[in-house]
Amino acid sequence: MQHVRAASVRVAKSPYGLGLHASADILAGATLLVFTGEVLHRNEVLSSGQDECYPLQLGRWTYLDLDARSRVVNHSCSPNAGLRSDRILVALRDIGCGEEICYDYSTTMSERRWTMQCRCGDLNCRSTVGDFHDLPTPRQQHYLQLGVVQSFIVEEFWLTVARSDHGKGDSPP
C-alpha cells in the first residue's frame, strides 16, 4: 500500500466548516490518514453528552473517540476515500491537489438509531446519512467490493445473507 507523506493532506475550510484536503495530487490506493483516538464503549459515547457524530463505530459496542484531525474528514455520498482495516483512510480514486477528502459515513455505522441530514451536494446525494443496512443494495455491494466497510458490519451483512438463504429449498414441496 502506498503511503502519502503527512504534507500531502491538510486541514482547511470547507463548505461544512473544516475538512481534510489534498495538498498535492494523490494516487488511488494511497493511505491518507490513520484514525486514532481512545476506544470507548457505546454507553460512554451515549452518556458523554458530546456530539454523536464524532466517535467512529469499530464494533457493535465499541467506538473510537476520534482525534481532532480525524474529526474533520467529512461525508460524501460519492466519496473519494474510504476506511480499510477499520481505521485507515485510503484514496478510492486519484485525488487532485486542493480537493476535499471525504468518505461515506454509512460504511462505518450499524446502530439503527442515529442519522444525519446530508449536505454533500452531490448529484447522487441520499439526503440522509444512516446505517450501512439503509444503503441501497447496489451501493452496499459497491462498498463491499472496494473493501471499505467496517469489519463488524461485513460480518453482520454476511450473517444476514446466510440467514435469508437458510431454509431455501430445505422444506419439502
Side-chain angles (χ1 to χ4, degrees):
M1 181 181 312
Q2 177 189 356
H3 289 276
V4 174
R5 294 182 321 271
S8 296
V9 297
R10 62 181 167 73
V11 176
K13 288 184 180 180
S14 85
Y16 321 105
L18 294 176
L20 191 68
H21 297 261
S23 56
D25 291 339
I26 298 171
L27 297 176
T31 297
L32 304 167
L33 183 68
V34 177
F35 285 10
T36 60
E38 181 184 353
V39 176
L40 303 173
H41 186 275
R42 181 178 181 166
N43 293 338
E44 292 176 283
V45 172
L46 295 176
S47 67
S48 71
Q50 71 175 335
D51 193 337
E52 285 184 54
C53 68
Y54 289 132
L56 173 71
Q57 192 173 9
L58 296 175
R60 186 171 178 181
W61 304 107
T62 56
Y63 293 75
L64 187 66
D65 189 16
L66 295 175
D67 62 51
R69 193 169 195 193
S70 302
R71 286 184 181 195
V72 301
V73 184
N74 290 309
H75 164 84
S76 175
C77 292
S78 294
N80 56 12
L83 283 173
R84 293 207 174 122
S85 302
D86 296 337
R87 296 181 187 208
I88 302 171
L89 188 67
V90 298
L92 298 179
R93 60 169 175 75
D94 291 349
I95 300 172
C97 182
E99 188 176 346
E100 184 170 4
I101 297 165
C102 298
Y103 71 100
D104 190 331
Y105 290 176
S106 294
T107 61
T108 66
M109 298 170 25
S110 182
E111 300 175 311
R112 301 186 187 268
R113 63 175 306 278
W114 186 85
T115 61
M116 172 180 103
Q117 181 182 4
C118 184
R119 300 179 298 160
C120 74
D122 188 78
L123 292 174
N124 298 314
C125 181
R126 298 186 305 270
S127 302
T128 302
V129 179
D131 288 348
F132 182 76
H133 60 81
D134 295 328
L135 292 171
T137 302
R139 179 58 53 177
Q140 289 177 339
Q141 295 293 335
H142 175 70
Y143 287 142
L144 288 166
Q145 288 174 350
L146 290 173
V148 293
V149 180
Q150 297 294 73
S151 56
F152 80 98
I153 297 173
V154 173
E155 290 173 22
E156 288 177 359
F157 177 83
W158 289 116
L159 281 172
T160 302
V161 169
R163 285 186 194 123
S164 67
D165 286 344
H166 183 72
K168 290 183 182 176
D170 288 346
S171 57

